[in-house]
Amino acid sequence: MKLSGGDLLMRALKDEGVKFIFGYPGGAALHIYDSIFKQKAFEHILVRHEQGATHAADGYSRATGKPGVALVTSGPGATNAITGLATAFMDSIPLVVISGQVQSHLIGTDSFQETDMIGISRPIVKHSFIVQNTQDIPRIVQEAFHIATTGRPGPVVIDIPKDKTDPSQLFEYKRAKEISLRSYQPRVFPHPGQIKKASKKILSAERPVIYAGGGVILGNAHKELIALNKLLKAPVTNTLMGLGAYPAKDKYFMGMLGMHGTYQANMAMHNADVIIAIGARFDDRITNTPSMFAPNAKIVHIDVDPASISKIINADIPIVGQVKESLIALIKEIKRSKIKIDSEALDQWNMQISQWREKHGLDHDLYLSKIKSSMIAPQVVVQELYHATQGNAFVTSDVGQHQMFVAQYYHFNKPRRWINSGGLGTMGFGLPAAMGVKLAFPKQEVVCVTGEGSIQMCIQELSTCLQYNLPIKIININNEALGMVRQWQDMNYGGRHSASTYSDSLPDFVKLAQSYGHVGMKVTKQSQLKKTLEKAFAMKDRLVFIDVYVDPNEHVYPMLVAPNGSMQDMWIKKNTKA
Amino acid sequence: MKRIISILIENKPGALARVVGLFHQRGYNIETLNVGPVFDGSFSRMTVTTRGSENDVEQITKQINKIIDVIKVSDLTEGDHHEYEFIMIKFKHSEKIQKILKSLNGKIHEKNNDAMVMSAWGSSSDIEAAIKSMGKVNLLEVARSGSIGLHEGEKVLKI
Ligand SMILES: Cc1ncc(C[n+]2csc(CCOP(=O)(O)OP(=O)(O)O)c2C)c(N)n1
Ligand SMILES: [Mg+2]
């Protein structure tokens, strides 16, 4: 049977196993939308802004490990998708974003709603395609999914001129059995010689640290990471993107590292003799001043992307390969090796870390001691949330202090439960991302922890949540300010709060939620917090927006001292360096 | 230090722009750029000259390698190599310029009452020096191909 370009696209998406498409229609995409109307393989979710479509597809992908798909029209539809593409690109999330384009013969003429989507998106995609022949659509879709999901994953754009989906032009559907691109052969297996060298170096370490990032989650290698540390008994820290890659409840876990990492994790990094970096990229939010980074450490760096290795910090033993395959090889080599871990040195090292933890570690019982004070501490909101959900929820977040408080105080024991924009730091990500997660896991608790600043960047998606009945729980940590900005102004700009406050003009979030057809709740006193959360979570089939007014003067600590600081230079509370 | 980077890439629309764009995105400058189809025409070979440290070039070649359309990348300056550049020059009659170009495999393409067109080729440093020594007075127009080059010996950039 011959199919139109639009129907070829449907067939190709179906064959990729797509279950949801997040999109928004418009002129250049109308043939495609007509094809969507006629198919049953997947559900189309109509968002309220194309940014929401890309973030929802992104959240779906982060939670499931499968590629997310978004569909937008040309021009403004395409440009609205750019923030979501950049967000996915920075965090290596596999997305396929399909954009309508003006008809081929109009390209380059400044025609109505024409934008050079390939050009605009070029620096923030893994790859992009423009459809030149309708019959190529199935191959292009197949290649797009292949490229998005293999190697270091990332977003791929397919730009389709309207005439290529013309319903009157019909073509045969052909799908290749497998794809092989001569110019794209990502490395899977590590070099055995490097694995040997790494094993030797790691086993003779006295002060090793495992520094694991989002690559462990993307590479589905958390089991291997746990297995590795059964052998090594080394302290482990996760990056913001890696939280959940190693269980937070494990005794070797030190918490997050970096800018707002724990005291013990940052101290351990600085004083390590061997750092085993796994699927992490030595981001500037981790290393602080690179020339002062971990002065005595040899670096073993495992990553699927050779360009991530020795980019910021030189790797002494680079290992290029999929994280899972690399860890399997490393575990095998360690088991075979005659060298044994230095238990005595490790005991001492782990003891040192316990001492650091006791000295300046995060107060995990804050929620007990603060219960009587009237102002709610934002950290306590996260702790209460953790208890209310038994630590099992999928938690999405936006960007700011609230995001860091979740990273610090919600203990993720499983991968793919913590969903946030780490690399780009995109305010507005949390709610649409939660929609993607909730669609994928309708029976699981999905919570969006946000700030009153961030939530207003994609608030319109509350309408989408009503249309598709997505009972997400939104916890708005309301400090009546762009809290993270204000914190920097407090610390570096003499407390001049330039353009970071708006307490007189905030909406009534309870009424706002209600006007979108949801439930709104407001908490202003510590004593109401626990009960309100319980009440909200008991409403299984309703979206509940919980507006929690917190102490606006709270800062996120620890915080690395910058500029010209190393990882051991930290503020541990207001005006106090460690 | 000057670097000559050779890139074998799919001859597809937009592929060139991905490479050129990447230099800018990653904060590197392109000094010269040459590109043309090779083999069966489904490949292009690009030669880019840039300046940077060992680390810079390692990073830039790794990043170029990540471009999906790129098949192979090699830093010619890493080892022994051949490197040439081709120029065409239009100038007001000048014995001096003619002589300089003659010493660089020069060839006359056009000669009329007041101007000449000549081509020449040589290593880009010789070309650079030649252009400098011509002075500005009689020079009307210069077109440069940018460096192209190959590895010495058995090493080839091929699929
Ligand atoms: C789209 C976007 N614009 C600006 C910023 C810069 N920024 C980072 S945190 C922040 C404040 C966020 O305020 P809010 O959501 O209320 O969170 P809080 O820090 O108060 O918890 C801002 C403006 C950003 N990350 N993203
Ligand atoms: Mg705020």
Side-chain angles (χ1 to χ4, degrees):
Chain A
M1 194 178 69
K2 291 195 164 184
L3 302 173
S4 72
D7 292 343
L8 286 176
L9 180 64
M10 297 305 113
R11 195 50 210 283
L13 292 172
K14 178 181 168 205
D15 284 351
E16 293 298 334
V18 172
K19 292 283 173 287
F20 297 100
I21 288 192
F22 303 88
Y24 207 89
L30 283 182
H31 296 329
I32 299 175
Y33 269 90
D34 198 46
S35 294
I36 287 181
F37 192 83
K38 293 182 290 188
Q39 62 78 44
K40 290 200 192 72
F42 53 80
E43 189 177 0
H44 177 274
I45 307 296
L46 176 66
V47 293
R48 298 298 182 268
H49 186 299
E50 289 86 351
Q51 182 181 351
T54 48
H55 291 333
D58 182 322
Y60 173 86
S61 175
R62 291 183 204 233
T64 61
K66 295 179 195 150
V69 185
L71 171 61
V72 299
T73 191
S74 68
T79 55
N80 274 351
I82 291 296
T83 301
L85 276 167
T87 303
F89 183 70
M90 288 295 274
D91 290 344
S92 306
I93 305 303
L95 291 193
V96 174
V97 175
I98 300 162
S99 52
Q101 182 52 280
V102 300
Q103 297 178 58
S104 310
H105 75 274
L106 292 174
I107 290 179
T109 65
D110 303 320
S111 58
F112 179 62
Q113 295 196 327
E114 180 188 357
T115 299
D116 174 13
M117 179 57 162
I118 298 292
I120 292 182
S121 64
R122 190 183 297 120
I124 50 165
V125 295
K126 185 172 174 188
H127 195 55
S128 49
F129 296 89
I130 181 152
V131 172
Q132 289 175 315
N133 301 297
T134 304
Q135 61 268 37
D136 293 342
I137 288 176
R139 175 185 57 78
I140 288 175
V141 170
Q142 222 178 339
E143 289 183 5
F145 277 81
H146 174 66
I147 291 168
T149 54
T150 52
R152 179 176 181 173
V156 176
V157 162
I158 306 177
D159 200 35
I160 311 183
K162 188 171 184 181
D163 51 305
K164 307 305 176 200
T165 50
D166 180 345
S168 68
Q169 304 274 327
L170 304 180
F171 298 87
E172 207 71 57
Y173 178 81
K174 276 196 215 107
R175 187 180 161 85
K177 280 224 175 61
E178 58 187 292
I179 321 162
S180 158
L181 298 169
R182 67 181 178 186
S183 65
Y184 176 66
Q185 316 273 346
R187 185 160 189 138
V188 175
F189 295 101
H191 191 287
Q194 293 299 94
I195 293 288
K196 272 214 175 84
K197 274 195 222 160
S199 147
K200 236 181 175 167
K201 177 60 65 200
I202 293 167
L203 286 171
S204 44
E206 292 179 359
R207 299 183 312 280
V209 172
I210 294 179
Y211 148 49
V216 178
I217 294 172
L218 292 166
N220 296 314
H222 65 285
K223 286 206 181 100
E224 287 73 14
L225 177 61
I226 295 167
L228 175 70
N229 210 37
K230 284 250 152 54
L231 304 172
L232 297 182
K233 304 189 188 333
V236 181
T237 178
N238 284 337
T239 65
L240 178 65
M241 294 308 300
L243 293 173
Y246 194 83
K249 62 176 183 227
D250 188 89
K251 68 171 173 176
Y252 293 109
F253 188 61
M254 299 185 288
M256 181 171 77
L257 80 166
M259 175 75 93
H260 294 297
T262 63
Y263 179 71
Q264 61 271 19
N266 288 341
M267 289 302 282
M269 286 290 283
H270 189 80
N271 291 285
D273 66 347
V274 175
I275 290 174
I276 309 153
I278 310 173
R281 60 188 176 86
F282 295 89
D283 178 88
D284 51 275
R285 284 293 184 270
I286 300 291
T287 59
N288 214 357
T289 312
S291 59
M292 297 165 83
F293 176 79
N296 302 311
K298 293 283 178 217
I299 312 278
V300 177
H301 192 175
I302 300 173
D303 206 291
V304 71
D305 177 8
S308 281
I309 293 177
S310 298
K311 181 174 68 175
I312 312 284
I313 300 293
N314 190 57
D316 298 284
I317 306 177
I319 296 174
V320 179
Q322 292 278 1
V323 172
K324 194 186 190 95
E325 277 70 15
S326 302
L327 290 185
I328 289 172
L330 188 59
I331 289 167
K332 219 166 150 191
E333 181 59 34
I334 286 171
K335 283 185 174 160
R336 189 162 51 200
S337 172
K338 287 200 188 72
I339 316 172
K340 295 289 163 237
I341 53 167
D342 185 342
S343 296
E344 212 169 298
L346 282 170
D347 283 350
Q348 232 176 341
W349 178 229
N350 281 312
M351 186 105 76
Q352 166 73 77
I353 286 157
S354 302
Q355 283 166 6
W356 281 327
R357 193 192 309 257
E358 262 156 49
K359 195 166 165 209
H360 291 307
L362 299 172
D363 183 356
H364 293 293
D365 292 326
L366 206 60
Y367 70 103
L368 294 175
S369 58
K370 289 259 172 130
I371 231 140
K372 288 199 181 70
S373 76
S374 59
M375 279 272 208
I376 305 174
Q379 299 91 329
V380 169
V381 181
V382 178
Q383 292 187 339
E384 290 290 8
L385 172 67
Y386 177 77
H387 291 295
T389 54
Q390 283 103 45
N392 281 325
F394 285 88
V395 183
T396 75
S397 171
D398 275 294
V399 179
Q401 293 183 321
H402 62 274
Q403 174 193 28
M404 292 301 124
F405 290 136
V406 183
Q408 292 178 331
Y409 291 95
Y410 198 101
H411 311 294
F412 293 94
N413 289 312
K414 292 183 212 156
R416 300 195 179 280
R417 299 272 155 153
W418 165 234
I419 287 160
N420 85 129
S421 164
L424 197 68
T426 310
M427 290 170 67
F429 176 80
L431 173 57
M435 301 190 317
V437 181
K438 191 69 190 174
L439 282 159
F441 297 102
K443 297 220 170 72
Q444 305 255 10
E445 212 62 83
V446 179
V447 184
C448 167
V449 180
T450 184
E452 80 304 316
S454 296
I455 191 68
Q456 293 188 76
M457 285 215 176
C458 276
I459 191 96
Q460 74 286 345
E461 299 306 331
L462 283 175
S463 174
T464 312
C465 291
L466 185 70
Q467 182 172 1
Y468 297 96
N469 185 27
L470 303 174
I472 295 158
K473 302 295 179 280
I474 298 171
I475 317 258
N476 188 36
I477 299 194
N478 193 338
N479 52 11
E480 299 181 82
L482 301 172
M484 189 55 97
V485 172
R486 199 175 51 180
Q487 174 169 349
W488 281 64
Q489 291 169 338
D490 285 340
M491 294 175 74
N492 302 324
Y493 298 92
R496 293 182 294 281
H497 296 159
S498 176
S500 58
T501 56
Y502 39 42
S503 55
D504 295 343
S505 51
L506 282 172
D508 180 334
F509 285 107
V510 171
K511 282 193 192 144
L512 187 140
Q514 286 166 350
S515 82
Y516 274 110
H518 303 302
V519 179
M521 298 177 179
K522 183 168 168 175
V523 184
T524 53
K525 290 202 194 73
Q526 180 77 57
S527 55
Q528 309 162 323
L529 180 60
K530 197 170 171 201
K531 280 211 180 79
T532 311
L533 287 177
E534 276 166 11
K535 207 168 105 195
F537 282 106
M539 302 176 107
K540 291 282 171 217
D541 52 356
R542 297 299 297 276
L543 185 151
V544 185
F545 190 114
I546 308 146
D547 189 19
V548 189
Y549 278 74
V550 298
D551 183 349
N553 295 313
E554 202 57 54
H555 284 179
V556 185
Y557 294 109
M559 181 168 176
L560 291 175
V561 175
N564 306 320
S566 73
M567 283 190 86
Q568 70 175 350
D569 301 316
M570 280 170 269
W571 297 100
I572 38 125
K573 54 185 176 195
K574 272 188 191 165
N575 306 315
T576 312
K577 286 184 192 171
Chain B
M1 190 188 153
K2 184 178 156 173
R3 304 283 176 163
I4 307 164
I5 297 170
S6 283
I7 304 161
L8 190 66
I9 187 169
E10 294 284 354
N11 184 6
K12 283 184 184 165
L16 177 66
R18 291 180 209 274
V19 177
V20 174
L22 187 125
F23 272 82
H24 170 69
Q25 285 151 38
R26 299 273 169 190
Y28 300 98
N29 275 324
I30 292 180
E31 275 189 5
T32 73
L33 167 68
N34 174 285
V35 61
V38 292
F39 302 125
D40 63 0
S42 70
F43 301 85
S44 291
R45 183 171 170 129
M46 296 175 70
T47 312
V48 180
T49 59
T50 182
R51 267 169 211 284
S53 67
E54 196 96 19
N55 274 348
D56 289 343
V57 177
E58 187 180 325
Q59 199 27 228
I60 195 79
T61 50
K62 280 175 171 178
Q63 294 293 352
I64 293 169
N65 237 326
K66 267 170 72 174
I67 296 173
I68 304 293
D69 286 333
V70 167
I71 295 152
K72 279 203 169 139
V73 186
S74 187
D75 174 11
L76 293 184
T77 19
E78 220 174 41
D80 294 333
H81 60 278
H82 308 279
E83 181 260 348
Y84 289 102
E85 179 168 355
F86 180 84
I87 51 168
M88 293 186 78
I89 293 191
K90 188 180 276 182
F91 56 97
K92 284 196 209 135
H93 281 300
S94 148
E95 277 304 323
K96 184 176 154 202
I97 294 182
Q98 243 189 89
K99 208 168 137 206
I100 293 169
L101 290 173
K102 274 271 154 62
S103 75
L104 283 172
N105 313 294
K107 197 177 155 195
I108 299 170
H109 297 275
E110 185 189 331
K111 198 172 183 176
N112 55 39
N113 291 342
D114 25 62
M116 284 181 80
V117 173
M118 279 186 76
S119 67
W121 59 272
S123 74
S124 55
S125 53
D126 287 348
I127 296 280
E128 204 72 56
I131 293 175
K132 260 208 188 110
S133 62
M134 283 173 200
K136 285 185 187 140
V137 188
N138 293 314
L139 218 53
L140 296 172
E141 207 179 354
V142 182
R144 301 174 59 166
S145 67
S147 289
I148 57 169
L150 299 175
H151 285 288
E152 242 184 72
E154 283 168 14
K155 204 168 167 189
V156 291
L157 208 62
K158 215 178 150 193
I159 198 155

